[in-house]
Amino acid sequence: MQEQGKHTVPTSTFIVVWIALLILTALTVMVAELHIGRASVLVPLVIASAKAGLVLWFFMHLKYEKRLFKLLLLMPIGTLLVILLLTFADGKVRANTRVPAEVLSRLRPYADKL
């Protein structure tokens, strides 16, 4: 097994990335308080993806890996993206589904007990 070359990363790079992570975390908290409707799920996911990208790229030194390894990392990310898209699509379909009145009338006594 070949030993990979060591990469010396300046401390200032880690400090800048750390500050960026703190800013993105604060932004996530601010977005959570805004209640922006449908985007209240999507925006934090995008921010979390950016934070994960920073951690992978700099702290886990993905920046210095070979191209094949970087491409292989896209497979689980793509799989996660497909799962999230299917989940959102299912939620959209179920949101447009109406519960029959007969079912609601049978469930109403149980709801009153809550």
PDB file of all heavy atoms in Angstrom, residues 9-10 13-14 16-18 20-21 50-64:
ATOM      1  N   VAL A   9      -1.706  22.116   6.035  1.00  0.00           N
ATOM      2  CA  VAL A   9      -2.737  23.135   5.858  1.00  0.00           C
ATOM      3  C   VAL A   9      -2.506  24.210   6.908  1.00  0.00           C
ATOM      4  O   VAL A   9      -2.342  23.899   8.092  1.00  0.00           O
ATOM      5  CB  VAL A   9      -4.145  22.527   6.028  1.00  0.00           C
ATOM      6  CG1 VAL A   9      -5.211  23.576   5.814  1.00  0.00           C
ATOM      7  CG2 VAL A   9      -4.332  21.358   5.073  1.00  0.00           C
ATOM      8  N   PRO A  10      -2.466  25.463   6.483  1.00  0.00           N
ATOM      9  CA  PRO A  10      -2.254  26.530   7.470  1.00  0.00           C
ATOM     10  C   PRO A  10      -3.391  26.594   8.488  1.00  0.00           C
ATOM     11  O   PRO A  10      -4.546  26.325   8.172  1.00  0.00           O
ATOM     12  CB  PRO A  10      -2.231  27.804   6.634  1.00  0.00           C
ATOM     13  CG  PRO A  10      -2.300  27.408   5.214  1.00  0.00           C
ATOM     14  CD  PRO A  10      -2.600  25.961   5.140  1.00  0.00           C
ATOM     15  N   THR A  13      -6.516  28.617   7.663  1.00  0.00           N
ATOM     16  CA  THR A  13      -7.573  27.996   6.858  1.00  0.00           C
ATOM     17  C   THR A  13      -8.614  27.356   7.767  1.00  0.00           C
ATOM     18  O   THR A  13      -9.824  27.517   7.554  1.00  0.00           O
ATOM     19  CB  THR A  13      -6.976  26.930   5.920  1.00  0.00           C
ATOM     20  OG1 THR A  13      -6.021  27.551   5.072  1.00  0.00           O
ATOM     21  CG2 THR A  13      -8.056  26.271   5.083  1.00  0.00           C
ATOM     22  N   PHE A  14      -8.161  26.636   8.783  1.00  0.00           N
ATOM     23  CA  PHE A  14      -9.084  25.997   9.703  1.00  0.00           C
ATOM     24  C   PHE A  14      -9.888  27.026  10.503  1.00  0.00           C
ATOM     25  O   PHE A  14     -11.066  26.825  10.791  1.00  0.00           O
ATOM     26  CB  PHE A  14      -8.341  25.054  10.651  1.00  0.00           C
ATOM     27  CG  PHE A  14      -7.806  23.839   9.961  1.00  0.00           C
ATOM     28  CD1 PHE A  14      -6.463  23.548  10.017  1.00  0.00           C
ATOM     29  CD2 PHE A  14      -8.639  22.989   9.255  1.00  0.00           C
ATOM     30  CE1 PHE A  14      -5.954  22.422   9.392  1.00  0.00           C
ATOM     31  CE2 PHE A  14      -8.154  21.866   8.623  1.00  0.00           C
ATOM     32  CZ  PHE A  14      -6.809  21.580   8.688  1.00  0.00           C
ATOM     33  N   VAL A  16     -10.723  30.065   9.471  1.00  0.00           N
ATOM     34  CA  VAL A  16     -11.711  30.655   8.555  1.00  0.00           C
ATOM     35  C   VAL A  16     -12.880  29.698   8.349  1.00  0.00           C
ATOM     36  O   VAL A  16     -14.047  30.102   8.362  1.00  0.00           O
ATOM     37  CB  VAL A  16     -11.050  31.030   7.214  1.00  0.00           C
ATOM     38  CG1 VAL A  16     -12.086  31.384   6.164  1.00  0.00           C
ATOM     39  CG2 VAL A  16     -10.074  32.177   7.402  1.00  0.00           C
ATOM     40  N   VAL A  17     -12.599  28.413   8.165  1.00  0.00           N
ATOM     41  CA  VAL A  17     -13.660  27.424   7.987  1.00  0.00           C
ATOM     42  C   VAL A  17     -14.499  27.318   9.258  1.00  0.00           C
ATOM     43  O   VAL A  17     -15.727  27.228   9.198  1.00  0.00           O
ATOM     44  CB  VAL A  17     -13.066  26.056   7.592  1.00  0.00           C
ATOM     45  CG1 VAL A  17     -14.135  24.976   7.595  1.00  0.00           C
ATOM     46  CG2 VAL A  17     -12.415  26.142   6.222  1.00  0.00           C
ATOM     47  N   TRP A  18     -13.861  27.350  10.402  1.00  0.00           N
ATOM     48  CA  TRP A  18     -14.579  27.281  11.677  1.00  0.00           C
ATOM     49  C   TRP A  18     -15.524  28.473  11.823  1.00  0.00           C
ATOM     50  O   TRP A  18     -16.675  28.322  12.231  1.00  0.00           O
ATOM     51  CB  TRP A  18     -13.577  27.220  12.825  1.00  0.00           C
ATOM     52  CG  TRP A  18     -14.208  27.185  14.177  1.00  0.00           C
ATOM     53  CD1 TRP A  18     -14.969  26.191  14.714  1.00  0.00           C
ATOM     54  CD2 TRP A  18     -14.137  28.213  15.172  1.00  0.00           C
ATOM     55  NE1 TRP A  18     -15.359  26.533  15.990  1.00  0.00           N
ATOM     56  CE2 TRP A  18     -14.868  27.762  16.292  1.00  0.00           C
ATOM     57  CE3 TRP A  18     -13.518  29.454  15.222  1.00  0.00           C
ATOM     58  CZ2 TRP A  18     -14.999  28.526  17.438  1.00  0.00           C
ATOM     59  CZ3 TRP A  18     -13.652  30.203  16.369  1.00  0.00           C
ATOM     60  CH2 TRP A  18     -14.387  29.737  17.456  1.00  0.00           C
ATOM     61  N   ALA A  20     -16.782  30.210   9.375  1.00  0.00           N
ATOM     62  CA  ALA A  20     -17.860  30.005   8.397  1.00  0.00           C
ATOM     63  C   ALA A  20     -18.902  29.026   8.940  1.00  0.00           C
ATOM     64  O   ALA A  20     -20.114  29.231   8.765  1.00  0.00           O
ATOM     65  CB  ALA A  20     -17.288  29.496   7.080  1.00  0.00           C
ATOM     66  N   LEU A  21     -18.459  27.973   9.619  1.00  0.00           N
ATOM     67  CA  LEU A  21     -19.385  27.013  10.215  1.00  0.00           C
ATOM     68  C   LEU A  21     -20.229  27.669  11.307  1.00  0.00           C
ATOM     69  O   LEU A  21     -21.429  27.396  11.435  1.00  0.00           O
ATOM     70  CB  LEU A  21     -18.631  25.811  10.774  1.00  0.00           C
ATOM     71  CG  LEU A  21     -18.041  24.860   9.730  1.00  0.00           C
ATOM     72  CD1 LEU A  21     -17.119  23.857  10.407  1.00  0.00           C
ATOM     73  CD2 LEU A  21     -19.122  24.161   8.953  1.00  0.00           C
ATOM     74  N   ALA A  50     -24.178  22.615   3.037  1.00  0.00           N
ATOM     75  CA  ALA A  50     -22.994  23.472   2.897  1.00  0.00           C
ATOM     76  C   ALA A  50     -22.021  23.238   4.047  1.00  0.00           C
ATOM     77  O   ALA A  50     -20.799  23.162   3.841  1.00  0.00           O
ATOM     78  CB  ALA A  50     -23.415  24.940   2.839  1.00  0.00           C
ATOM     79  N   LYS A  51     -22.554  23.102   5.264  1.00  0.00           N
ATOM     80  CA  LYS A  51     -21.679  22.844   6.413  1.00  0.00           C
ATOM     81  C   LYS A  51     -21.002  21.487   6.289  1.00  0.00           C
ATOM     82  O   LYS A  51     -19.802  21.358   6.564  1.00  0.00           O
ATOM     83  CB  LYS A  51     -22.484  22.921   7.718  1.00  0.00           C
ATOM     84  CG  LYS A  51     -22.959  24.316   8.027  1.00  0.00           C
ATOM     85  CD  LYS A  51     -23.589  24.521   9.385  1.00  0.00           C
ATOM     86  CE  LYS A  51     -24.414  23.438   9.921  1.00  0.00           C
ATOM     87  NZ  LYS A  51     -25.119  23.762  11.161  1.00  0.00           N
ATOM     88  N   ALA A  52     -21.748  20.484   5.853  1.00  0.00           N
ATOM     89  CA  ALA A  52     -21.154  19.162   5.662  1.00  0.00           C
ATOM     90  C   ALA A  52     -20.078  19.206   4.585  1.00  0.00           C
ATOM     91  O   ALA A  52     -19.027  18.564   4.716  1.00  0.00           O
ATOM     92  CB  ALA A  52     -22.234  18.148   5.288  1.00  0.00           C
ATOM     93  N   GLY A  53     -20.327  19.967   3.549  1.00  0.00           N
ATOM     94  CA  GLY A  53     -19.327  20.111   2.489  1.00  0.00           C
ATOM     95  C   GLY A  53     -18.045  20.749   2.998  1.00  0.00           C
ATOM     96  O   GLY A  53     -16.938  20.317   2.645  1.00  0.00           O
ATOM     97  N   LEU A  54     -18.174  21.776   3.819  1.00  0.00           N
ATOM     98  CA  LEU A  54     -16.984  22.414   4.398  1.00  0.00           C
ATOM     99  C   LEU A  54     -16.194  21.438   5.265  1.00  0.00           C
ATOM    100  O   LEU A  54     -14.961  21.383   5.190  1.00  0.00           O
ATOM    101  CB  LEU A  54     -17.380  23.638   5.220  1.00  0.00           C
ATOM    102  CG  LEU A  54     -17.774  24.890   4.450  1.00  0.00           C
ATOM    103  CD1 LEU A  54     -18.316  25.947   5.400  1.00  0.00           C
ATOM    104  CD2 LEU A  54     -16.602  25.422   3.662  1.00  0.00           C
ATOM    105  N   VAL A  55     -16.905  20.684   6.078  1.00  0.00           N
ATOM    106  CA  VAL A  55     -16.225  19.721   6.957  1.00  0.00           C
ATOM    107  C   VAL A  55     -15.518  18.659   6.120  1.00  0.00           C
ATOM    108  O   VAL A  55     -14.355  18.321   6.370  1.00  0.00           O
ATOM    109  CB  VAL A  55     -17.226  19.080   7.941  1.00  0.00           C
ATOM    110  CG1 VAL A  55     -16.616  17.901   8.668  1.00  0.00           C
ATOM    111  CG2 VAL A  55     -17.712  20.119   8.937  1.00  0.00           C
ATOM    112  N   LEU A  56     -16.219  18.124   5.121  1.00  0.00           N
ATOM    113  CA  LEU A  56     -15.604  17.100   4.267  1.00  0.00           C
ATOM    114  C   LEU A  56     -14.402  17.658   3.510  1.00  0.00           C
ATOM    115  O   LEU A  56     -13.360  17.013   3.410  1.00  0.00           O
ATOM    116  CB  LEU A  56     -16.627  16.564   3.264  1.00  0.00           C
ATOM    117  CG  LEU A  56     -17.656  15.589   3.796  1.00  0.00           C
ATOM    118  CD1 LEU A  56     -18.743  15.357   2.764  1.00  0.00           C
ATOM    119  CD2 LEU A  56     -17.002  14.271   4.165  1.00  0.00           C
ATOM    120  N   TRP A  57     -14.562  18.835   2.943  1.00  0.00           N
ATOM    121  CA  TRP A  57     -13.532  19.389   2.072  1.00  0.00           C
ATOM    122  C   TRP A  57     -12.265  19.777   2.828  1.00  0.00           C
ATOM    123  O   TRP A  57     -11.156  19.508   2.368  1.00  0.00           O
ATOM    124  CB  TRP A  57     -14.102  20.591   1.321  1.00  0.00           C
ATOM    125  CG  TRP A  57     -13.291  21.018   0.154  1.00  0.00           C
ATOM    126  CD1 TRP A  57     -12.521  22.144   0.066  1.00  0.00           C
ATOM    127  CD2 TRP A  57     -13.144  20.340  -1.091  1.00  0.00           C
ATOM    128  NE1 TRP A  57     -11.918  22.209  -1.158  1.00  0.00           N
ATOM    129  CE2 TRP A  57     -12.286  21.113  -1.892  1.00  0.00           C
ATOM    130  CE3 TRP A  57     -13.653  19.161  -1.603  1.00  0.00           C
ATOM    131  CZ2 TRP A  57     -11.925  20.742  -3.180  1.00  0.00           C
ATOM    132  CZ3 TRP A  57     -13.305  18.796  -2.888  1.00  0.00           C
ATOM    133  CH2 TRP A  57     -12.454  19.572  -3.660  1.00  0.00           C
ATOM    134  N   PHE A  58     -12.443  20.416   3.980  1.00  0.00           N
ATOM    135  CA  PHE A  58     -11.270  20.936   4.687  1.00  0.00           C
ATOM    136  C   PHE A  58     -10.825  20.065   5.860  1.00  0.00           C
ATOM    137  O   PHE A  58      -9.663  19.693   5.958  1.00  0.00           O
ATOM    138  CB  PHE A  58     -11.527  22.368   5.163  1.00  0.00           C
ATOM    139  CG  PHE A  58     -11.596  23.347   4.037  1.00  0.00           C
ATOM    140  CD1 PHE A  58     -12.814  23.806   3.586  1.00  0.00           C
ATOM    141  CD2 PHE A  58     -10.447  23.787   3.412  1.00  0.00           C
ATOM    142  CE1 PHE A  58     -12.894  24.695   2.546  1.00  0.00           C
ATOM    143  CE2 PHE A  58     -10.497  24.683   2.360  1.00  0.00           C
ATOM    144  CZ  PHE A  58     -11.737  25.143   1.920  1.00  0.00           C
ATOM    145  N   PHE A  59     -11.745  19.753   6.789  1.00  0.00           N
ATOM    146  CA  PHE A  59     -11.339  19.024   7.984  1.00  0.00           C
ATOM    147  C   PHE A  59     -11.027  17.561   7.701  1.00  0.00           C
ATOM    148  O   PHE A  59     -10.204  16.956   8.385  1.00  0.00           O
ATOM    149  CB  PHE A  59     -12.407  19.141   9.075  1.00  0.00           C
ATOM    150  CG  PHE A  59     -12.488  20.517   9.676  1.00  0.00           C
ATOM    151  CD1 PHE A  59     -13.653  21.256   9.574  1.00  0.00           C
ATOM    152  CD2 PHE A  59     -11.414  21.079  10.326  1.00  0.00           C
ATOM    153  CE1 PHE A  59     -13.745  22.519  10.117  1.00  0.00           C
ATOM    154  CE2 PHE A  59     -11.481  22.342  10.871  1.00  0.00           C
ATOM    155  CZ  PHE A  59     -12.648  23.059  10.760  1.00  0.00           C
ATOM    156  N   MET A  60     -11.712  16.975   6.715  1.00  0.00           N
ATOM    157  CA  MET A  60     -11.449  15.568   6.376  1.00  0.00           C
ATOM    158  C   MET A  60     -10.512  15.459   5.167  1.00  0.00           C
ATOM    159  O   MET A  60     -10.315  14.366   4.635  1.00  0.00           O
ATOM    160  CB  MET A  60     -12.767  14.837   6.135  1.00  0.00           C
ATOM    161  CG  MET A  60     -13.632  14.802   7.386  1.00  0.00           C
ATOM    162  SD  MET A  60     -15.171  13.951   7.169  1.00  0.00           S
ATOM    163  CE  MET A  60     -14.603  12.268   7.134  1.00  0.00           C
ATOM    164  N   HIS A  61      -9.989  16.588   4.724  1.00  0.00           N
ATOM    165  CA  HIS A  61      -8.965  16.669   3.675  1.00  0.00           C
ATOM    166  C   HIS A  61      -9.402  16.035   2.359  1.00  0.00           C
ATOM    167  O   HIS A  61      -8.582  15.495   1.612  1.00  0.00           O
ATOM    168  CB  HIS A  61      -7.647  16.043   4.154  1.00  0.00           C
ATOM    169  CG  HIS A  61      -7.111  16.689   5.378  1.00  0.00           C
ATOM    170  ND1 HIS A  61      -6.408  17.867   5.349  1.00  0.00           N
ATOM    171  CD2 HIS A  61      -7.204  16.347   6.691  1.00  0.00           C
ATOM    172  CE1 HIS A  61      -6.066  18.217   6.574  1.00  0.00           C
ATOM    173  NE2 HIS A  61      -6.544  17.312   7.411  1.00  0.00           N
ATOM    174  N   LEU A  62     -10.675  16.105   2.042  1.00  0.00           N
ATOM    175  CA  LEU A  62     -11.159  15.604   0.756  1.00  0.00           C
ATOM    176  C   LEU A  62     -10.577  16.420  -0.393  1.00  0.00           C
ATOM    177  O   LEU A  62     -10.435  15.919  -1.512  1.00  0.00           O
ATOM    178  CB  LEU A  62     -12.690  15.660   0.719  1.00  0.00           C
ATOM    179  CG  LEU A  62     -13.359  15.036  -0.490  1.00  0.00           C
ATOM    180  CD1 LEU A  62     -13.065  13.541  -0.540  1.00  0.00           C
ATOM    181  CD2 LEU A  62     -14.852  15.271  -0.456  1.00  0.00           C
ATOM    182  N   LYS A  63     -10.208  17.622  -0.086  1.00  0.00           N
ATOM    183  CA  LYS A  63      -9.603  18.517  -1.085  1.00  0.00           C
ATOM    184  C   LYS A  63      -8.343  17.899  -1.704  1.00  0.00           C
ATOM    185  O   LYS A  63      -8.036  18.130  -2.865  1.00  0.00           O
ATOM    186  CB  LYS A  63      -9.262  19.840  -0.390  1.00  0.00           C
ATOM    187  CG  LYS A  63      -8.668  20.881  -1.267  1.00  0.00           C
ATOM    188  CD  LYS A  63      -8.433  22.159  -0.467  1.00  0.00           C
ATOM    189  CE  LYS A  63      -7.852  23.236  -1.335  1.00  0.00           C
ATOM    190  NZ  LYS A  63      -7.647  24.480  -0.610  1.00  0.00           N
ATOM    191  N   TYR A  64      -7.651  17.075  -0.947  1.00  0.00           N
ATOM    192  CA  TYR A  64      -6.381  16.522  -1.409  1.00  0.00           C
ATOM    193  C   TYR A  64      -6.495  15.075  -1.890  1.00  0.00           C
ATOM    194  O   TYR A  64      -5.484  14.455  -2.200  1.00  0.00           O
ATOM    195  CB  TYR A  64      -5.354  16.610  -0.278  1.00  0.00           C
ATOM    196  CG  TYR A  64      -5.203  18.015   0.238  1.00  0.00           C
ATOM    197  CD1 TYR A  64      -5.716  18.371   1.484  1.00  0.00           C
ATOM    198  CD2 TYR A  64      -4.592  18.991  -0.529  1.00  0.00           C
ATOM    199  CE1 TYR A  64      -5.595  19.661   1.956  1.00  0.00           C
ATOM    200  CE2 TYR A  64      -4.477  20.294  -0.066  1.00  0.00           C
ATOM    201  CZ  TYR A  64      -4.981  20.622   1.175  1.00  0.00           C
ATOM    202  OH  TYR A  64      -4.872  21.902   1.622  1.00  0.00           O
TER     203      TYR A  64
END
